[in-house]
């Protein structure tokens, strides 16, 4: 009995997370109420609270759900596996372009209201922490291998990289200008190598 009940619970939780992602992407974070998520997922409102104690927990869980759906770990594994830091930077540019194209709608929706919605703010803080730490690890590798241009420190390069891969840049290129993902990756790689690498 235990296994089927657990399986049902996992399916229910996954359905709720898919529902909240759909709502956030199409209608925005404010529309993602517990009642709306329950209705979209086809479950009772009580069922939502069996999995998530509050809307804050639900919106926070969306971060891990999106990363799991889009295989964040697997997608960026080739960055760490690259033979040298210069190659890693180029691989990162391409992989980030792919990931941004897949997650921009939900990420941008959260970012837009992070200054007014405490639940979104908590989610967005997690996003920025992950981006900053992964960027720092990449820049640290550049520095350790002597590939980081001398006018940068690890911290200043990390901050600049964070700005260059921001949602606004992705939205401008992918949505407003209609660039294909491959072009974004190619040109972002050119920008990053030109900006950060020693000659």
């Amino acid at each position: 009995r235990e296994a089927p009940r657990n399986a049902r619970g996992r399916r229910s939780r996954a359905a709720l997370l898919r529902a909240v992602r759909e709502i956030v992407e199409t209608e925005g974070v404010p529309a993602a109420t517990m009642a709306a998520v329950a209705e979209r997922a086809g479950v009772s409102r009580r069922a939502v609270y069996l999995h998530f104690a509050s809307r804050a927990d639900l919106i926070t869980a969306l971060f891990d759900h999106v990363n799991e759906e889009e295989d964040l770990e697997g997608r960026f594994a080739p960055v760490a596996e690259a033979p040298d830091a210069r190659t890693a930077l180029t691989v990162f540019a391409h992989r980030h372009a792919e990931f941004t194209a897949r997650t921009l709608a939900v990420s941008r929706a959260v970012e837009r209201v992070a200054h007014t919605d405490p639940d979104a703010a908590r989610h967005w803080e997690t996003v920025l922490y992950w981006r900053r730490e992964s960027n720092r690890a990449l820049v640290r590798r550049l520095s350790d291998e002597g590939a980081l241009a001398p006018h940068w420190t690890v911290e200043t390069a990390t901050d600049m990289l964070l700005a260059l891969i921001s949602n606004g840049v992705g939205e401008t290129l992918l949505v407003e200008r209609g660039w294909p993902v491959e072009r974004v990756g190619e040109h972002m790689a050119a920008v990053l190598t030109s900006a950060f690498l020693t000659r």
Side-chain angles (χ1 to χ4, degrees):
R1 288 185 172 184
E2 190 67 20
R5 187 160 63 247
N6 285 341
R8 283 197 300 273
R10 286 192 296 272
R11 287 195 299 271
S12 179
R13 180 182 173 87
L16 289 166
L17 288 167
R18 284 193 300 271
V20 73
R21 180 177 183 176
E22 290 171 5
I23 292 171
V24 168
E25 287 181 337
T26 59
E27 302 173 47
V29 177
T33 63
M34 299 295 261
V37 170
E39 182 178 354
R40 177 71 65 100
V43 302
S44 68
R45 187 171 177 178
R46 179 177 175 276
V48 183
Y49 284 100
L50 289 176
H51 294 280
F52 303 100
S54 65
R55 179 178 183 267
D57 288 345
L58 179 60
I59 299 298
T60 299
L62 179 61
F63 175 78
D64 287 334
H65 171 70
V66 169
N67 290 340
E68 183 178 335
E69 274 200 328
E70 305 303 339
D71 190 21
L72 175 70
E73 187 175 338
R75 191 180 299 274
F76 282 91
V79 177
E81 295 164 0
D84 56 73
R86 290 172 179 264
T87 304
L89 190 62
T90 297
V91 173
F92 172 82
H94 286 277
R95 293 303 173 114
H96 187 269
E98 295 167 4
F99 187 73
T100 298
R102 301 281 304 175
T103 62
L104 184 62
V106 65
S107 185
R108 198 70 168 118
V110 171
E111 182 185 15
R112 283 193 186 101
V113 298
H115 62 290
T116 57
D117 185 317
D119 300 337
R122 184 177 169 188
H123 179 124
W124 186 239
E125 184 179 339
T126 304
V127 171
L128 290 181
Y129 175 82
W130 177 84
R131 288 185 186 178
R132 189 176 296 111
E133 291 308 303
S134 60
N135 289 357
R136 183 178 285 112
L138 178 56
V139 172
R140 173 63 67 187
R141 183 177 178 188
L142 290 172
S143 179
D144 290 346
E145 294 184 18
L148 185 64
H151 53 275
W152 294 108
T153 66
V154 169
E155 287 307 309
T156 59
T158 297
D159 288 346
M160 183 58 74
L161 181 55
L162 187 65
L164 291 171
I165 65 166
S166 67
N167 284 342
V169 171
E171 187 169 49
T172 296
L173 298 178
L174 291 164
V175 180
E176 295 175 11
R177 301 304 304 156
W179 281 24
V181 173
E182 296 78 10
R183 183 187 295 173
V184 175
E186 178 184 345
H187 287 279
M188 183 58 74
V191 168
L192 298 186
T193 55
S194 176
F196 295 119
L197 296 182
T198 55
R199 298 294 179 262

